[in-house]
Amino acid sequence: MTAVRPETASTGLLRFPPGFVWGAATAAYQIEGAVAEDGRTPSIWDTFSHTPGRVHNGDTGDIAADHYHRFRDDVALMSDLGLGAYRFSVSWSRVQPTGRGPAVQRGLDFYRALADELLDKGITPVATLYHWDLPQDLEEVGGWTVRDTAERFAEYAAIMASALGDRVPYWTTLNEPWCSAFLGYGSGVHAPGRTEPDAALKAAHHLNLAHGRAIGALRSILPATAQTSITLNLHQVRPLDQSPAALDAARRIDAVGNRVFTGPILHGGYPADLLEDTAHLVDWQALVHDGDLAEISRPIDLLGINYYTPTVVSGPLPVQDGADATRFDGHGASAHSPWPGSEQVAFHLPPGETTAMSWAVDASGLYDLLRRMAEENPGLPLMVTENGAAFDDYVSPEGTVNDPRRIDYLRGHLAAVHRAIADGADVRGYFLWSLMDNFEWSYGYSKRFGAVYVDYATQTRIPKSSAHWYAQVARTGEITEPDAP
């Protein structure tokens, strides 16, 4: 597939290029349920969600959306919505319960059956190997803070490539390693819930190493036509103003939020300013072994980009002026920072519309991010692998779910993608987050991102008005231009 410029029709329609991939995404722990069936053992998210006080309302992913038992119905729903691709993640502990040794065939059979069902309906399966659910057995011996976990991940990648390589054409190693490292080991709002700045940085390096080694394992097994990638939740960082303090804050957050991954993965090295900012926390010379950077920077075929909202920062605020809202970074409440080496940076919520997550709605951030990645990585195709919004959805007395604000959000962000393509960014596809309402990590079931409403008591699925709108987009490859602000 090669990049094709989009069209803007005189009727106000924005037409996406032929072959543009229209999909939706989910994650294993958020939807599968069946956490103790067919050989699956606990992941760090099972342990975390069952720890009192960690998740809103004591919610867990034990049942979630029961996708493990209902996947055929869910695939039929995807087909009804005209999706061209479905991005799912594999539960590591479902196929390799301890993170070591041979696979459990029943676990592999589930993902084989899922891929076959998708293919039967004309939907392209897109597999993500890791969406935050590390086998608990590996966390017990250090988790992502130790190098051995990268070795185990490469072995797991080889297992999955051997099992699904004949069915799955797109492979993603890691989803949002920033969250795994810095929310899991820094602020503690994600599993495993540790609050150690040095551990967060070690985890980031070992996740990078795991990615590189997994790419090597995948490439040794997959057909040459397979596409490999990593998905990063890159932060579109903006200084609050042009003061030196705000500009330095933006530089710092860009380093520990973005370039800690894009540097080694795409450019072969960690940025010097990141190393300087964090030298008091970790010995990078001891952490990064000879040969690590060569492995981490193995070529990939696609870069996945997840975007929801921009990140606005300034230098430290005086205590008397530092209201809670100005310190909100959008990643959950914690007394511990997920920004090691930049703990004093202040975060600001921009004015204007927000989602149920209190995230600012600003599609220009997606445009800016796509253009930046295109300029910094010429020749590397991009995909928007997650984009969406949570709103307070409810079922009407007529049994429908109307979510016009989500439609407006999606239209604006798709227009930003269209504009980025028109301006030269090689964006190959777009995956809506999420296909259905699900377990939203530490927020439990209190936040709904889905295009499909899930009644968790009955497991009834109700496509929202946004699902029908997106189905039309997926079928035609067109959107109407959003109204000018």
Side-chain angles (χ1 to χ4, degrees):
M1 191 191 310
T2 57
V4 179
R5 291 296 177 92
E7 299 176 9
T8 303
S10 59
T11 58
L13 290 177
L14 302 180
R15 295 194 179 108
F16 282 78
F20 192 83
V21 176
W22 296 100
T26 64
Y29 188 72
Q30 292 183 275
I31 67 165
E32 284 184 1
V35 295
E37 293 187 33
D38 293 336
R40 185 187 181 279
T41 58
S43 73
I44 55 175
W45 267 99
D46 294 278
T47 302
F48 187 85
S49 66
H50 279 268
T51 303
R54 291 294 200 179
V55 174
H56 176 79
N57 200 40
D59 293 339
T60 74
D62 289 1
I63 299 174
D66 198 31
H67 176 72
Y68 188 77
H69 299 116
R70 301 168 185 265
F71 74 91
R72 286 189 171 84
D73 290 339
D74 290 337
V75 172
L77 181 57
M78 296 178 215
S79 180
D80 290 343
L81 295 175
L83 296 184
Y86 173 54
R87 179 175 175 255
F88 63 93
S89 79
V90 177
S91 167
W92 188 348
S93 64
R94 192 178 294 287
V95 301
Q96 200 183 25
T98 65
R100 302 180 181 84
V104 171
Q105 290 305 311
R106 288 168 295 176
L108 292 177
D109 286 345
F110 168 72
Y111 294 106
R112 290 189 185 106
L114 172 61
D116 288 346
E117 194 75 13
L118 290 165
L119 292 169
D120 184 61
K121 295 294 192 296
I123 300 168
T124 300
V126 178
T128 297
L129 291 173
Y130 187 76
H131 198 129
W132 309 349
D133 47 358
L134 185 73
Q136 182 62 36
D137 278 35
L138 292 183
E139 177 59 28
E140 299 288 344
V141 292
W144 288 113
T145 69
V146 298
R147 290 179 66 88
D148 186 64
T149 302
E151 303 287 350
R152 304 285 74 76
F153 185 70
E155 292 173 2
Y156 159 61
I159 288 171
M160 294 311 304
S162 297
L164 272 71
D166 60 341
R167 295 166 168 87
V168 177
Y170 291 95
W171 292 80
T172 299
T173 54
L174 306 172
N175 179 80
E176 300 187 348
W178 185 87
C179 295
S180 297
F182 297 106
L183 301 184
Y185 293 87
S187 66
V189 299
H190 278 195
R194 292 166 61 175
T195 54
E196 306 156 38
D198 61 327
L201 293 164
K202 291 174 183 176
H205 176 64
H206 296 141
L207 283 155
N208 283 335
L209 184 60
H211 157 75
R213 292 190 173 169
I215 290 293
L218 293 173
R219 275 282 161 238
S220 70
I221 296 169
L222 293 176
T225 54
Q227 302 279 289
T228 61
S229 67
I230 187 171
T231 280
L232 303 176
N233 59 314
L234 298 174
H235 301 77
Q236 181 55 34
V237 186
R238 295 170 172 169
L240 181 66
D241 53 42
Q242 294 302 300
S243 67
L247 293 172
D248 186 64
R251 176 200 62 76
R252 285 176 169 272
I253 297 306
D254 184 59
V256 77
N258 297 330
R259 291 181 285 120
V260 65
F261 298 108
T262 59
I265 292 170
L266 301 176
H267 305 291
Y270 287 101
D273 59 330
L274 170 74
L275 302 183
E276 183 177 350
D277 291 344
T278 58
H280 63 293
L281 296 171
V282 68
D283 183 348
W284 285 97
Q285 284 192 323
L287 180 62
V288 181
H289 293 193
D290 289 344
D292 281 4
L293 293 173
E295 288 207 69
I296 292 169
S297 60
R298 291 178 187 271
I300 56 177
D301 301 296
L302 294 165
L303 175 63
I305 294 174
N306 294 355
Y307 172 85
Y308 294 92
T309 188
T311 301
V312 180
V313 298
S314 72
L317 297 175
V319 173
Q320 64 269 24
D321 295 333
D324 288 344
T326 64
R327 299 187 186 278
F328 176 77
D329 72 356
H331 295 295
S334 174
H336 303 272
S337 172
W339 310 98
S342 299
E343 293 85 354
Q344 299 307 309
V345 169
F347 293 81
H348 301 263
L349 182 62
E353 184 184 7
T354 59
T355 70
M357 300 290 289
S358 296
W359 294 348
V361 177
D362 187 343
S364 69
L366 179 55
Y367 170 83
D368 292 342
L369 197 54
L370 292 172
R371 288 288 295 144
R372 174 185 173 181
M373 287 299 105
E375 291 170 0
E376 292 182 359
N377 306 282
L380 179 63
L382 309 174
M383 271 202 183
V384 178
T385 38
E386 286 183 26
N387 177 240
F391 292 107
D392 296 324
D393 305 316
Y394 62 91
V395 181
S396 74
E398 295 74 30
T400 61
V401 182
N402 297 312
D403 56 343
R405 293 181 65 198
R406 183 174 286 106
I407 293 174
D408 288 344
Y409 178 99
L410 296 177
R411 180 184 285 112
H413 285 75
L414 284 171
V417 175
H418 185 277
R419 181 183 164 212
I421 297 172
D423 289 346
D426 184 4
V427 186
R428 303 288 179 89
Y430 176 94
F431 289 79
L432 168 67
W433 185 269
S434 175
L435 173 67
M436 67 181 78
D437 293 335
N438 52 47
F439 176 83
E440 185 49 40
W441 308 114
S442 59
Y443 294 95
Y445 298 102
S446 68
K447 306 297 181 186
R448 293 182 178 270
F449 275 88
V452 175
Y453 185 94
V454 177
D455 181 329
Y456 297 110
T458 65
Q459 292 298 336
T460 300
R461 272 78 158 138
I462 304 173
K464 304 173 188 177
S465 56
S466 63
H468 298 297
W469 180 87
Y470 188 64
Q472 180 69 10
V473 173
R475 290 189 179 101
T476 64
E478 298 175 346
I479 63 168
T480 57
E481 289 190 87
D483 294 334

